[in-house]
Amino acid sequence: MFSASLWQLVLVASSFLVVAATNPTRVSRYVEKRNNDGPPSNFVTTENGQFVVNGSAITFIGTNVYWLSVLNADEDVDNVFGNMSAAGINLVRAWAFNDVEAIPENGTWFQLISNGTLSINNGTNGLQKLDKIVQSAQDHGIYLVFSLTNNWNPTISSTVGPFQIASRTNSNSTTLPRNFLSNDYGGMDTYVRQFVKDQQHDQFYTDENIINAFKNYTTQVVSRYVNSPAIMGWELANDPRCNSTLPAGSLCTTTTVTQWHSTLAQHVKSVDPNHLVTSGNQGFFCADCPKLFQKTTPPPPPPPPQTSPAPGQRRRSIPVLTKASLLQEQRDMQKKRKRSADGIRVRGRWVASHTRRQEDVGVGPAFDGSQGVDSEDILSIPQIGFGTFQLFPDQDTYGFDDPSLSPFDNVVQIGTNWIQRQAAAGQRTGKPVSLTGFGLVTQDNAPDFVPFNSSVAPLQSDPVSATSFGVTDDQRDQAYTQWLSTGISGGLSAMLQYQWSQQGLTTQAGTTVSPVQNESGVVPISDTSGVSPNDGYGIQGVGQAEAQGVLQTASQSVARQG
Ligand SMILES: *[C@@H]1O[C@H](CO)[C@@H](O)[C@H](O)[C@H]1NC(C)=O
Ligand SMILES: *[C@@H]1O[C@H](CO)[C@@H](O)[C@H](O)[C@H]1NC(C)=O
Ligand SMILES: *[C@@H]1O[C@H](CO)[C@@H](O)[C@H](O)[C@H]1NC(C)=O
Ligand SMILES: *[C@@H]1O[C@H](CO)[C@@H](O)[C@H](O)[C@H]1NC(C)=O
Ligand SMILES: *[C@@H]1O[C@H](CO)[C@@H](O)[C@H](O)[C@H]1NC(C)=O
Ligand SMILES: *[C@@H]1O[C@H](CO)[C@@H](O)[C@H](O)[C@H]1NC(C)=O
Ligand SMILES: *[C@@H]1O[C@H](CO)[C@@H](O)[C@H](O)[C@H]1NC(C)=O
Ligand SMILES: *[C@@H]1O[C@H](CO)[C@@H](O)[C@H](O)[C@H]1NC(C)=O
Ligand SMILES: *[C@@H]1O[C@H](CO)[C@@H](O)[C@H](O)[C@H]1NC(C)=O
Ligand SMILES: *[C@@H]1O[C@H](CO)[C@@H](O)[C@H](O)[C@H]1NC(C)=O
């Protein structure tokens, strides 16, 4: 229950925290060329660090629906888009890949990757599923950002006869269907497993055969929608980095991952010059990493404005992120820090644990390049049209705790700071930036929470943690409201909650949306009793209306601004 007036308060309170909004007169170094050969005006382009449609700047408020392609009926797809449209959503991020290593008996699959060979499924349980999504999105006036592969694919699949059996369990140790989890759609490690012998994750970025195979897949998918106005952009990969379930080779660095982005962004742009291309990375910074594309000397100061800026539009230069500035920030925080040790978050309280002290972690994994990601260098690649980052405080760390704040307030504040840092990076580069996924695990969702490098819910075997992990629904809504308003007033161009939930879906045995037995063990007769998968971030059940209301309020606020 989050009222409109509280939203207003947050909006007002956060507006003075953030860097002044993008200066509309600033000329970008990377403005998309818009000439007579350019895409039609209802396609999404960029100008002056903003997305533009029909000649006007647009801010997207949206959500993630990775399971759209596994729905069993076309009406389900239309119902999901109808419900999202009713909630004010105008951008949806979804998976445009579904790799298998053996053809499954039931369900959707797009590409068979087997022993170094590829074959595409363009049938009704193949790419025609994507065609339906694109059509329905267009019918509902919703844009799509399609991800082309995933960093994460921890499934240990076994092949029994002709069928692929996934080892996945939910909180009751029952086997989950294929494609239930976001990391069960194939991805980089599928290519590596099927193409090379001594397997390291980063061979995906460097092995010539794999690069060609992935280029082949992207060509097949991207060329299908070159002329579709429903595509907002192509995301090269979800969360690309050196490591995954397969380990990283010792040679993988940020430049490995950046170089791959450049190669693939050029390829996708050559197949589809009409749509934007982006990374999909988590937004990790590396101030001290060697750069391939980023100009490390700051650009010359812009000419003084002709007229004095409007109040609230105060010009402010965006300092380049350095290791020294990060360490200074950390020392300032440590001064505030009393004797508090690190802890793990349990129902909004900290439980002390002495496994790691913040003093020892340098600038931290979001800033030191240790994941193999330098988001600013990637954003500086000419063919990368906009920036991406993610915000999942239950799984990644994005900054340093302020000991004077409560644990929950720290989660909110660190997220707010992360959003502001990313908006500033966009302004330094002159490109729009999108928060492509943000989410908090709630107490109700904790038993179903499966981290992105896992195929089992870890809390299921620990009933005590399972009942004490996570925030309340109300805290989730407060955090989402704060982050959305910070992003809107700070100049982010898109913000997508993770993830949408939907009831009333058509069930089919052996597919992701399977019939569920009720308490008497009988499979319910109704074939529209299906619910969408929940990996711990779904907003179904208790609090669903309120969580959707947060998104709706944000979209109304954006509409008022525009
Ligand atoms: C862009 O213009 C087209 C054609 O007039 C219209 O159908 C569409 O809704 C517009 N899109 C946006 C986001 O304004
Ligand atoms: C929302 O989805 C339900 C099925 O869960 C469907 O009955 C309803 O028509 C949808 N609403 C809209 C506006 O599309
Ligand atoms: C994979 O392909 C290679 C060469 O094409 C072949 O020699 C090998 O037997 C195949 N392996 C399997 C398991 O099919
Ligand atoms: C590219 O994909 C097509 C369609 O699946 C397939 O026929 C072809 O063999 C692939 N090429 C390579 C080099 O894998
Ligand atoms: C699927 O691909 C095959 C091989 O390229 C082609 O012959 C066939 O017409 C395609 N079918 C559809 C429905 O697109
Ligand atoms: C797990 O089992 C309990 C008790 O049988 C049931 O209430 C709950 O809904 C089940 N959870 C899932 C995710 O199936
Ligand atoms: C992912 O999980 C696997 C298996 O548990 C582990 O070996 C690997 O180190 C993990 N990778 C990351 C990046 O967490
Ligand atoms: C791989 O992940 C581990 C921790 O999971 C990290 O210490 C290491 O730096 C990572 N390596 C690379 C090359 O990203
Ligand atoms: C495939 O679906 C059929 C019926 O729809 C079901 O009986 C069978 O168990 C399913 N196969 C798998 C591997 O789930
Ligand atoms: C279980 O489903 C069957 C078939 O739809 C129905 O007859 C029965 O009443 C249901 N039982 C419960 C406890 O909901």
Side-chain angles (χ1 to χ4, degrees), residues 114-140:
S114 177
N115 194 18
T117 65
L118 312 167
S119 46
I120 299 278
N121 174 12
N122 60 5
T124 52
N125 68 340
L127 293 184
Q128 291 177 41
K129 291 278 191 184
L130 278 187
D131 298 345
K132 173 62 197 173
I133 294 169
V134 172
Q135 187 57 54
S136 188
Q138 190 173 342
D139 293 346
H140 289 89

PDB file of all heavy atoms in Angstrom, residues 114-140:
ATOM      1  N   SER A 114      25.004 -28.694 -30.944  1.00  0.00           N
ATOM      2  CA  SER A 114      25.430 -30.051 -30.654  1.00  0.00           C
ATOM      3  C   SER A 114      26.736 -30.356 -31.376  1.00  0.00           C
ATOM      4  O   SER A 114      26.795 -30.270 -32.602  1.00  0.00           O
ATOM      5  CB  SER A 114      24.321 -31.020 -31.088  1.00  0.00           C
ATOM      6  OG  SER A 114      24.746 -32.341 -30.882  1.00  0.00           O
ATOM      7  N   ASN A 115      27.744 -30.661 -30.584  1.00  0.00           N
ATOM      8  CA  ASN A 115      29.027 -31.094 -31.133  1.00  0.00           C
ATOM      9  C   ASN A 115      29.504 -30.175 -32.267  1.00  0.00           C
ATOM     10  O   ASN A 115      29.851 -30.637 -33.341  1.00  0.00           O
ATOM     11  CB  ASN A 115      28.902 -32.554 -31.613  1.00  0.00           C
ATOM     12  CG  ASN A 115      30.277 -33.178 -31.871  1.00  0.00           C
ATOM     13  OD1 ASN A 115      31.289 -32.665 -31.394  1.00  0.00           O
ATOM     14  ND2 ASN A 115      30.308 -34.252 -32.627  1.00  0.00           N
ATOM     15  N   GLY A 116      29.493 -28.890 -31.983  1.00  0.00           N
ATOM     16  CA  GLY A 116      30.051 -27.940 -32.940  1.00  0.00           C
ATOM     17  C   GLY A 116      29.167 -27.626 -34.138  1.00  0.00           C
ATOM     18  O   GLY A 116      29.621 -26.969 -35.073  1.00  0.00           O
ATOM     19  N   THR A 117      27.923 -28.100 -34.119  1.00  0.00           N
ATOM     20  CA  THR A 117      27.018 -27.723 -35.214  1.00  0.00           C
ATOM     21  C   THR A 117      25.769 -27.061 -34.641  1.00  0.00           C
ATOM     22  O   THR A 117      25.393 -27.287 -33.492  1.00  0.00           O
ATOM     23  CB  THR A 117      26.582 -28.935 -36.069  1.00  0.00           C
ATOM     24  OG1 THR A 117      25.804 -29.803 -35.240  1.00  0.00           O
ATOM     25  CG2 THR A 117      27.773 -29.673 -36.647  1.00  0.00           C
ATOM     26  N   LEU A 118      25.138 -26.254 -35.499  1.00  0.00           N
ATOM     27  CA  LEU A 118      23.967 -25.493 -35.065  1.00  0.00           C
ATOM     28  C   LEU A 118      22.802 -25.816 -35.971  1.00  0.00           C
ATOM     29  O   LEU A 118      22.977 -26.004 -37.167  1.00  0.00           O
ATOM     30  CB  LEU A 118      24.224 -23.986 -35.211  1.00  0.00           C
ATOM     31  CG  LEU A 118      25.522 -23.427 -34.672  1.00  0.00           C
ATOM     32  CD1 LEU A 118      25.707 -22.014 -35.188  1.00  0.00           C
ATOM     33  CD2 LEU A 118      25.481 -23.443 -33.164  1.00  0.00           C
ATOM     34  N   SER A 119      21.586 -25.852 -35.410  1.00  0.00           N
ATOM     35  CA  SER A 119      20.425 -25.782 -36.297  1.00  0.00           C
ATOM     36  C   SER A 119      19.317 -25.012 -35.616  1.00  0.00           C
ATOM     37  O   SER A 119      19.091 -25.120 -34.409  1.00  0.00           O
ATOM     38  CB  SER A 119      19.965 -27.165 -36.751  1.00  0.00           C
ATOM     39  OG  SER A 119      19.918 -28.036 -35.660  1.00  0.00           O
ATOM     40  N   ILE A 120      18.666 -24.185 -36.410  1.00  0.00           N
ATOM     41  CA  ILE A 120      17.631 -23.291 -35.916  1.00  0.00           C
ATOM     42  C   ILE A 120      16.274 -23.967 -36.071  1.00  0.00           C
ATOM     43  O   ILE A 120      16.011 -24.639 -37.068  1.00  0.00           O
ATOM     44  CB  ILE A 120      17.632 -21.978 -36.736  1.00  0.00           C
ATOM     45  CG1 ILE A 120      18.969 -21.256 -36.600  1.00  0.00           C
ATOM     46  CG2 ILE A 120      16.460 -21.087 -36.358  1.00  0.00           C
ATOM     47  CD1 ILE A 120      19.116 -20.425 -35.371  1.00  0.00           C
ATOM     48  N   ASN A 121      15.421 -23.780 -35.077  1.00  0.00           N
ATOM     49  CA  ASN A 121      14.042 -24.254 -35.149  1.00  0.00           C
ATOM     50  C   ASN A 121      13.161 -23.066 -35.529  1.00  0.00           C
ATOM     51  O   ASN A 121      12.930 -22.177 -34.719  1.00  0.00           O
ATOM     52  CB  ASN A 121      13.642 -24.820 -33.779  1.00  0.00           C
ATOM     53  CG  ASN A 121      12.168 -25.219 -33.717  1.00  0.00           C
ATOM     54  OD1 ASN A 121      11.500 -25.290 -34.749  1.00  0.00           O
ATOM     55  ND2 ASN A 121      11.694 -25.474 -32.511  1.00  0.00           N
ATOM     56  N   ASN A 122      12.686 -23.048 -36.755  1.00  0.00           N
ATOM     57  CA  ASN A 122      11.812 -21.937 -37.155  1.00  0.00           C
ATOM     58  C   ASN A 122      10.339 -22.363 -37.169  1.00  0.00           C
ATOM     59  O   ASN A 122       9.502 -21.707 -37.761  1.00  0.00           O
ATOM     60  CB  ASN A 122      12.236 -21.361 -38.521  1.00  0.00           C
ATOM     61  CG  ASN A 122      12.166 -22.402 -39.628  1.00  0.00           C
ATOM     62  OD1 ASN A 122      11.716 -23.523 -39.408  1.00  0.00           O
ATOM     63  ND2 ASN A 122      12.580 -22.024 -40.834  1.00  0.00           N
ATOM     64  N   GLY A 123      10.030 -23.461 -36.459  1.00  0.00           N
ATOM     65  CA  GLY A 123       8.657 -23.973 -36.412  1.00  0.00           C
ATOM     66  C   GLY A 123       7.792 -23.258 -35.389  1.00  0.00           C
ATOM     67  O   GLY A 123       8.180 -22.230 -34.829  1.00  0.00           O
ATOM     68  N   THR A 124       6.606 -23.839 -35.144  1.00  0.00           N
ATOM     69  CA  THR A 124       5.646 -23.195 -34.234  1.00  0.00           C
ATOM     70  C   THR A 124       6.143 -23.214 -32.791  1.00  0.00           C
ATOM     71  O   THR A 124       5.702 -22.396 -31.985  1.00  0.00           O
ATOM     72  CB  THR A 124       4.270 -23.882 -34.304  1.00  0.00           C
ATOM     73  OG1 THR A 124       4.459 -25.294 -34.114  1.00  0.00           O
ATOM     74  CG2 THR A 124       3.599 -23.643 -35.655  1.00  0.00           C
ATOM     75  N   ASN A 125       7.009 -24.149 -32.417  1.00  0.00           N
ATOM     76  CA  ASN A 125       7.612 -24.100 -31.077  1.00  0.00           C
ATOM     77  C   ASN A 125       9.037 -23.543 -31.147  1.00  0.00           C
ATOM     78  O   ASN A 125       9.839 -23.757 -30.244  1.00  0.00           O
ATOM     79  CB  ASN A 125       7.600 -25.482 -30.410  1.00  0.00           C
ATOM     80  CG  ASN A 125       8.518 -26.467 -31.106  1.00  0.00           C
ATOM     81  OD1 ASN A 125       8.887 -26.276 -32.269  1.00  0.00           O
ATOM     82  ND2 ASN A 125       8.893 -27.529 -30.402  1.00  0.00           N
ATOM     83  N   GLY A 126       9.322 -22.819 -32.247  1.00  0.00           N
ATOM     84  CA  GLY A 126      10.629 -22.198 -32.435  1.00  0.00           C
ATOM     85  C   GLY A 126      10.475 -20.701 -32.619  1.00  0.00           C
ATOM     86  O   GLY A 126       9.719 -20.038 -31.888  1.00  0.00           O
ATOM     87  N   LEU A 127      11.161 -20.173 -33.630  1.00  0.00           N
ATOM     88  CA  LEU A 127      11.189 -18.715 -33.784  1.00  0.00           C
ATOM     89  C   LEU A 127       9.815 -18.101 -34.033  1.00  0.00           C
ATOM     90  O   LEU A 127       9.631 -16.892 -33.835  1.00  0.00           O
ATOM     91  CB  LEU A 127      12.165 -18.328 -34.910  1.00  0.00           C
ATOM     92  CG  LEU A 127      13.646 -18.609 -34.619  1.00  0.00           C
ATOM     93  CD1 LEU A 127      14.517 -18.107 -35.763  1.00  0.00           C
ATOM     94  CD2 LEU A 127      14.097 -17.992 -33.297  1.00  0.00           C
ATOM     95  N   GLN A 128       8.830 -18.925 -34.438  1.00  0.00           N
ATOM     96  CA  GLN A 128       7.479 -18.358 -34.599  1.00  0.00           C
ATOM     97  C   GLN A 128       6.912 -17.877 -33.258  1.00  0.00           C
ATOM     98  O   GLN A 128       6.011 -17.032 -33.218  1.00  0.00           O
ATOM     99  CB  GLN A 128       6.549 -19.382 -35.254  1.00  0.00           C
ATOM    100  CG  GLN A 128       6.916 -19.633 -36.718  1.00  0.00           C
ATOM    101  CD  GLN A 128       6.046 -20.702 -37.369  1.00  0.00           C
ATOM    102  OE1 GLN A 128       4.831 -20.754 -37.148  1.00  0.00           O
ATOM    103  NE2 GLN A 128       6.662 -21.560 -38.171  1.00  0.00           N
ATOM    104  N   LYS A 129       7.438 -18.421 -32.140  1.00  0.00           N
ATOM    105  CA  LYS A 129       7.054 -17.906 -30.814  1.00  0.00           C
ATOM    106  C   LYS A 129       7.510 -16.449 -30.669  1.00  0.00           C
ATOM    107  O   LYS A 129       6.796 -15.617 -30.097  1.00  0.00           O
ATOM    108  CB  LYS A 129       7.693 -18.757 -29.713  1.00  0.00           C
ATOM    109  CG  LYS A 129       7.141 -20.155 -29.602  1.00  0.00           C
ATOM    110  CD  LYS A 129       5.851 -20.147 -28.796  1.00  0.00           C
ATOM    111  CE  LYS A 129       5.423 -21.565 -28.451  1.00  0.00           C
ATOM    112  NZ  LYS A 129       4.121 -21.571 -27.743  1.00  0.00           N
ATOM    113  N   LEU A 130       8.701 -16.155 -31.175  1.00  0.00           N
ATOM    114  CA  LEU A 130       9.198 -14.767 -31.114  1.00  0.00           C
ATOM    115  C   LEU A 130       8.364 -13.860 -32.010  1.00  0.00           C
ATOM    116  O   LEU A 130       8.083 -12.707 -31.662  1.00  0.00           O
ATOM    117  CB  LEU A 130      10.661 -14.690 -31.561  1.00  0.00           C
ATOM    118  CG  LEU A 130      11.774 -15.032 -30.585  1.00  0.00           C
ATOM    119  CD1 LEU A 130      13.120 -14.709 -31.228  1.00  0.00           C
ATOM    120  CD2 LEU A 130      11.619 -14.284 -29.270  1.00  0.00           C
ATOM    121  N   ASP A 131       7.967 -14.401 -33.177  1.00  0.00           N
ATOM    122  CA  ASP A 131       7.140 -13.599 -34.096  1.00  0.00           C
ATOM    123  C   ASP A 131       5.869 -13.139 -33.374  1.00  0.00           C
ATOM    124  O   ASP A 131       5.431 -11.990 -33.521  1.00  0.00           O
ATOM    125  CB  ASP A 131       6.744 -14.418 -35.332  1.00  0.00           C
ATOM    126  CG  ASP A 131       7.943 -14.872 -36.161  1.00  0.00           C
ATOM    127  OD1 ASP A 131       9.049 -14.339 -35.953  1.00  0.00           O
ATOM    128  OD2 ASP A 131       7.753 -15.767 -37.013  1.00  0.00           O
ATOM    129  N   LYS A 132       5.265 -14.054 -32.601  1.00  0.00           N
ATOM    130  CA  LYS A 132       4.024 -13.720 -31.879  1.00  0.00           C
ATOM    131  C   LYS A 132       4.283 -12.619 -30.841  1.00  0.00           C
ATOM    132  O   LYS A 132       3.481 -11.696 -30.682  1.00  0.00           O
ATOM    133  CB  LYS A 132       3.463 -14.975 -31.206  1.00  0.00           C
ATOM    134  CG  LYS A 132       2.275 -14.728 -30.299  1.00  0.00           C
ATOM    135  CD  LYS A 132       1.074 -14.165 -31.055  1.00  0.00           C
ATOM    136  CE  LYS A 132       0.062 -13.552 -30.103  1.00  0.00           C
ATOM    137  NZ  LYS A 132      -1.030 -12.855 -30.823  1.00  0.00           N
ATOM    138  N   ILE A 133       5.408 -12.741 -30.142  1.00  0.00           N
ATOM    139  CA  ILE A 133       5.738 -11.730 -29.125  1.00  0.00           C
ATOM    140  C   ILE A 133       5.890 -10.359 -29.777  1.00  0.00           C
ATOM    141  O   ILE A 133       5.350  -9.353 -29.291  1.00  0.00           O
ATOM    142  CB  ILE A 133       7.053 -12.120 -28.397  1.00  0.00           C
ATOM    143  CG1 ILE A 133       6.853 -13.401 -27.593  1.00  0.00           C
ATOM    144  CG2 ILE A 133       7.537 -10.982 -27.506  1.00  0.00           C
ATOM    145  CD1 ILE A 133       8.153 -14.010 -27.072  1.00  0.00           C
ATOM    146  N   VAL A 134       6.601 -10.315 -30.898  1.00  0.00           N
ATOM    147  CA  VAL A 134       6.847  -9.042 -31.579  1.00  0.00           C
ATOM    148  C   VAL A 134       5.514  -8.446 -32.052  1.00  0.00           C
ATOM    149  O   VAL A 134       5.263  -7.244 -31.890  1.00  0.00           O
ATOM    150  CB  VAL A 134       7.833  -9.246 -32.756  1.00  0.00           C
ATOM    151  CG1 VAL A 134       7.961  -7.987 -33.604  1.00  0.00           C
ATOM    152  CG2 VAL A 134       9.206  -9.666 -32.227  1.00  0.00           C
ATOM    153  N   GLN A 135       4.641  -9.295 -32.596  1.00  0.00           N
ATOM    154  CA  GLN A 135       3.346  -8.814 -33.079  1.00  0.00           C
ATOM    155  C   GLN A 135       2.493  -8.283 -31.929  1.00  0.00           C
ATOM    156  O   GLN A 135       1.903  -7.203 -32.017  1.00  0.00           O
ATOM    157  CB  GLN A 135       2.593  -9.945 -33.801  1.00  0.00           C
ATOM    158  CG  GLN A 135       1.305  -9.484 -34.474  1.00  0.00           C
ATOM    159  CD  GLN A 135       1.549  -8.366 -35.480  1.00  0.00           C
ATOM    160  OE1 GLN A 135       2.375  -8.504 -36.380  1.00  0.00           O
ATOM    161  NE2 GLN A 135       0.862  -7.233 -35.299  1.00  0.00           N
ATOM    162  N   SER A 136       2.457  -9.047 -30.822  1.00  0.00           N
ATOM    163  CA  SER A 136       1.625  -8.633 -29.693  1.00  0.00           C
ATOM    164  C   SER A 136       2.165  -7.348 -29.064  1.00  0.00           C
ATOM    165  O   SER A 136       1.391  -6.456 -28.684  1.00  0.00           O
ATOM    166  CB  SER A 136       1.556  -9.755 -28.647  1.00  0.00           C
ATOM    167  OG  SER A 136       0.611  -9.441 -27.657  1.00  0.00           O
ATOM    168  N   ALA A 137       3.477  -7.243 -28.967  1.00  0.00           N
ATOM    169  CA  ALA A 137       4.071  -6.013 -28.426  1.00  0.00           C
ATOM    170  C   ALA A 137       3.638  -4.820 -29.272  1.00  0.00           C
ATOM    171  O   ALA A 137       3.203  -3.784 -28.753  1.00  0.00           O
ATOM    172  CB  ALA A 137       5.594  -6.137 -28.400  1.00  0.00           C
ATOM    173  N   GLN A 138       3.738  -4.986 -30.579  1.00  0.00           N
ATOM    174  CA  GLN A 138       3.373  -3.894 -31.485  1.00  0.00           C
ATOM    175  C   GLN A 138       1.887  -3.544 -31.338  1.00  0.00           C
ATOM    176  O   GLN A 138       1.518  -2.371 -31.273  1.00  0.00           O
ATOM    177  CB  GLN A 138       3.677  -4.301 -32.931  1.00  0.00           C
ATOM    178  CG  GLN A 138       3.560  -3.139 -33.905  1.00  0.00           C
ATOM    179  CD  GLN A 138       4.021  -3.514 -35.305  1.00  0.00           C
ATOM    180  OE1 GLN A 138       4.727  -4.505 -35.477  1.00  0.00           O
ATOM    181  NE2 GLN A 138       3.625  -2.737 -36.290  1.00  0.00           N
ATOM    182  N   ASP A 139       1.030  -4.581 -31.242  1.00  0.00           N
ATOM    183  CA  ASP A 139      -0.407  -4.347 -31.082  1.00  0.00           C
ATOM    184  C   ASP A 139      -0.708  -3.556 -29.809  1.00  0.00           C
ATOM    185  O   ASP A 139      -1.707  -2.843 -29.741  1.00  0.00           O
ATOM    186  CB  ASP A 139      -1.166  -5.681 -31.016  1.00  0.00           C
ATOM    187  CG  ASP A 139      -1.112  -6.443 -32.338  1.00  0.00           C
ATOM    188  OD1 ASP A 139      -0.730  -5.832 -33.362  1.00  0.00           O
ATOM    189  OD2 ASP A 139      -1.429  -7.655 -32.342  1.00  0.00           O
ATOM    190  N   HIS A 140       0.138  -3.729 -28.776  1.00  0.00           N
ATOM    191  CA  HIS A 140      -0.132  -3.071 -27.499  1.00  0.00           C
ATOM    192  C   HIS A 140       0.708  -1.815 -27.294  1.00  0.00           C
ATOM    193  O   HIS A 140       0.719  -1.237 -26.199  1.00  0.00           O
ATOM    194  CB  HIS A 140       0.102  -4.051 -26.339  1.00  0.00           C
ATOM    195  CG  HIS A 140      -0.943  -5.123 -26.261  1.00  0.00           C
ATOM    196  ND1 HIS A 140      -0.845  -6.319 -26.938  1.00  0.00           N
ATOM    197  CD2 HIS A 140      -2.133  -5.159 -25.613  1.00  0.00           C
ATOM    198  CE1 HIS A 140      -1.921  -7.061 -26.700  1.00  0.00           C
ATOM    199  NE2 HIS A 140      -2.721  -6.377 -25.896  1.00  0.00           N
TER     200      HIS A 140
END
